[in-house]
Amino acid sequence: MDKFEYMSGLPEVGIVPRAPHAGPLLRELYEQEHGRGGFAGKVTHTYHLYPPNNWLPEEARVLDGRAFATHWESPLVPIGGTHHALAVMAPVEERDVYRGMARLVANDSVTMNVTAPAARMDYFFEHHSATLLYFIHEGRGILETMFGPIEYRKGDFLILPKGTMHRFELGPGRHYYWMYESFAGDPEKSEAATTGQFIPHSRSDHKFPRSLDPRNEAGRFEVVSKVGQVYTRRVHPTHPFDVVGWRGDYLPYRFAVEDVRPLVADRSHVPPSGHTVFKLPGCYLCVFTVRSVEREGMWLPFFHRNLDYLETLGYHSGEFFSRGGVIQEGMVTLHPVGLPHGPHPTALKAFMDDRRPETWREVGIMADFANPTRMSEFAAGLSKKDYMASWAGYTTDPRFTYRATRLAEVRAASDRLAGARDALRPTVGDEPDSQ
């Protein structure tokens, strides 16, 4: 053993040559390159027991996409100027992760899908058009990849780079996943100059596979690939996870929502963009998680119109503070561009009465899709008919409805509070510490 230990420049696992495309070991193995950007971007090399192209030509065929995944290509329709709350999708019996996949919303570069798998995959899957980003709302299991297995559980993100062959091994219990397809590029960790590399999370929180389980098996191993809306099947006579080593940085990984370190501020409400975790072309993904409540700032979302993005929010756990008990875990809301939205009446009354909790104990996954974005017919079928009515309290509760004295009341309050200052502030000179 060397006296000193060093970190190498690129990750590598298992049996690998001293250099790619070179050396006598390559006469014993079969090298395969997984690369982006026409071999000029991220890349990983895998080293196989058998040639990766050893498929059985007579077994290859194009599948009927509608029969394979009935709702994945659900037709898209305009969302219009209406908010939607989507009920939890009922699991389809005996459907696996991909055969039960259903599209919810899409723009030109990103889609959001949902699946509630209730059967094991008897094939391997490759998506040749998009990188996949999963969020595990319910369930646990093992994601098998040729780079090694990744164990996952409730509250994990799974990132599968474009073209990565994989298979889900489901654990016991109920499963419910949200899945985002990114067609124009891989998710990038969100970073701002004002917060640095480690907020809201660190790249060291990305967990890559580091163990291999090479399979030296003969049989019939089916692989289904997706390119656009075309599904193709091929069959190999040897197990495709015959990888004895790999080297590179184009890899799948897991990221736990519990590792998000949220931005909080005592004196101001942090806007949703402050909670961004991943950026995708045409979309950014945010995590609202357990955090302390603003002491002096408005601790509810401000009423707002998002004029460039459709806001989707998946409710993972807890009672989301702005929804006033309207939404249940597992539901997804769609708030289209331009239409005002914000806290429900019961939540706003709690703010006005200063019933401030100390901590928000909730987790929500928000993905904002650049305009124009449409929803699917499948999603329209899940839409709760009375969601727009959940703001009805603003037209019926006397606290919010018309009063002839309203303008005079606001003017009086403005005069009364003209000299008010934050309690959390520096004092200047002989100025009193509080008003």
Side-chain angles (χ1 to χ4, degrees):
M1 181 180 294
D2 291 341
K3 180 178 178 180
F4 302 103
E5 294 185 358
Y6 303 93
M7 294 185 68
S8 61
L10 273 180
E12 62 181 36
V13 170
I15 301 170
V16 297
R18 295 195 65 170
H21 314 310
L25 183 56
L26 282 176
R27 294 177 175 82
E28 305 295 331
L29 298 173
Y30 300 92
E31 184 180 46
Q32 180 175 202
E33 179 167 312
H34 312 256
R36 297 299 298 271
F39 308 104
K42 285 188 175 182
V43 66
T44 291
H45 291 190
T46 50
Y47 298 92
H48 299 254
L49 297 175
Y50 304 101
N53 290 34
N54 68 344
W55 54 71
L56 305 173
E58 67 277 7
E59 297 278 359
R61 69 170 186 267
V62 175
L63 303 177
D64 180 349
R66 292 287 292 178
F68 179 83
T70 307
H71 299 296
W72 198 346
E73 311 297 339
S74 178
L76 297 170
V77 296
I79 294 176
T82 303
H83 294 317
H84 294 270
L86 309 184
V88 176
M89 181 180 80
V92 180
E93 294 298 329
E94 303 305 320
R95 286 278 181 173
D96 60 52
V97 171
Y98 289 105
R99 288 188 170 101
M101 192 70 66
R103 179 162 61 182
L104 297 181
V105 299
N107 62 17
D108 288 341
S109 57
V110 186
T111 69
M112 180 183 182
N113 311 275
V114 64
T115 183
R120 69 178 299 272
M121 290 176 64
D122 57 1
Y123 58 95
F124 303 90
F125 190 80
E126 297 174 341
H127 201 314
H128 294 170
S129 296
T131 288
L132 310 182
L133 190 153
Y134 276 88
F135 181 74
I136 309 302
H137 172 62
E138 282 193 80
R140 63 187 309 131
I142 296 175
L143 175 63
E144 296 183 327
T145 80
M146 67 170 53
F147 306 100
I150 299 175
E151 185 177 14
Y152 66 89
R153 62 180 181 173
K154 180 177 180 176
D156 281 346
F157 291 97
L158 297 173
I159 288 78
L160 278 159
K162 179 180 179 180
T164 301
M165 186 189 298
H166 61 279
R167 180 168 65 181
F168 284 88
E169 286 290 345
L170 305 180
R174 186 170 183 269
H175 293 259
Y176 202 79
Y177 310 159
W178 294 311
M179 189 270 271
Y180 306 84
E181 295 169 278
S182 180
F183 295 95
D186 297 329
E188 297 291 341
K189 177 185 175 294
S190 178
E191 251 171 49
T194 52
T195 54
Q197 292 190 29
F198 306 122
I199 298 175
H201 79 281
S202 167
R203 285 184 177 83
S204 61
D205 299 317
H206 298 175
K207 305 304 180 186
F208 300 91
R210 299 293 292 172
S211 59
L212 276 173
D213 181 20
R215 307 291 182 87
N216 185 24
E217 300 175 18
R220 289 174 49 82
F221 302 93
E222 184 174 333
V223 180
V224 175
S225 62
K226 186 176 191 295
V227 182
Q229 299 183 16
V230 178
Y231 300 81
T232 305
R233 186 196 81 157
R234 66 182 192 269
V235 178
H236 294 256
T238 57
H239 199 295
F241 293 167
D242 62 347
V243 176
V244 297
W246 58 259
R247 170 196 285 121
D249 59 359
Y250 188 63
L251 302 165
Y253 62 92
R254 172 177 62 86
F255 169 58
V257 74
E258 65 190 61
D259 289 326
V260 175
R261 302 159 187 86
L263 286 175
V264 294
D266 277 335
R267 301 175 66 193
S268 182
H269 182 72
V270 176
S273 53
H275 300 280
T276 305
V277 173
F278 290 110
K279 295 185 293 185
L280 297 76
C283 177
Y284 61 89
L285 192 145
C286 310
V287 173
F288 302 107
T289 187
V290 177
R291 61 199 182 278
S292 58
V293 178
E294 295 90 333
R295 291 171 60 185
E296 301 221 351
M298 184 175 184
W299 40 266
L300 287 178
F302 36 79
F303 290 101
H304 60 284
R305 303 169 184 261
N306 197 331
L307 299 176
D308 294 306
Y309 289 85
L310 163 77
E311 298 181 11
T312 74
L313 187 55
Y315 297 84
H316 176 52
S317 65
E319 184 174 342
F320 208 74
F321 68 102
S322 64
R323 299 298 89 186
V326 174
I327 301 297
Q328 299 175 350
E329 292 181 1
M331 294 179 65
V332 175
T333 55
L334 312 180
H335 295 155
V337 294
L339 187 62
H341 59 284
H344 281 86
T346 53
L348 186 57
K349 285 197 290 186
F351 169 77
M352 296 170 71
D353 293 338
D354 202 26
R355 291 185 277 117
R356 183 183 70 86
E358 291 298 316
T359 306
W360 297 127
R361 299 196 175 276
E362 65 192 13
V363 177
I365 310 301
M366 185 177 84
D368 283 7
F369 288 74
N371 189 38
T373 301
R374 295 183 292 169
M375 68 187 298
S376 70
E377 291 181 356
F378 179 87
L382 296 178
S383 183
K384 293 173 66 69
K385 304 302 182 186
D386 58 348
Y387 183 51
M388 288 287 282
S390 63
W391 283 274
Y394 289 131
T395 63
T396 59
D397 190 318
R399 192 164 190 171
F400 303 115
T401 54
Y402 173 80
R403 296 193 302 274
T405 59
R406 180 73 177 126
L407 180 57
E409 292 168 2
V410 169
R411 285 172 171 163
S414 175
D415 292 338
R416 185 176 73 254
L417 299 173
R421 297 291 183 269
D422 295 346
L424 296 172
R425 64 185 179 90
T427 56
V428 179
D430 296 328
E431 184 181 6
D433 288 341
S434 61
Q435 297 292 331

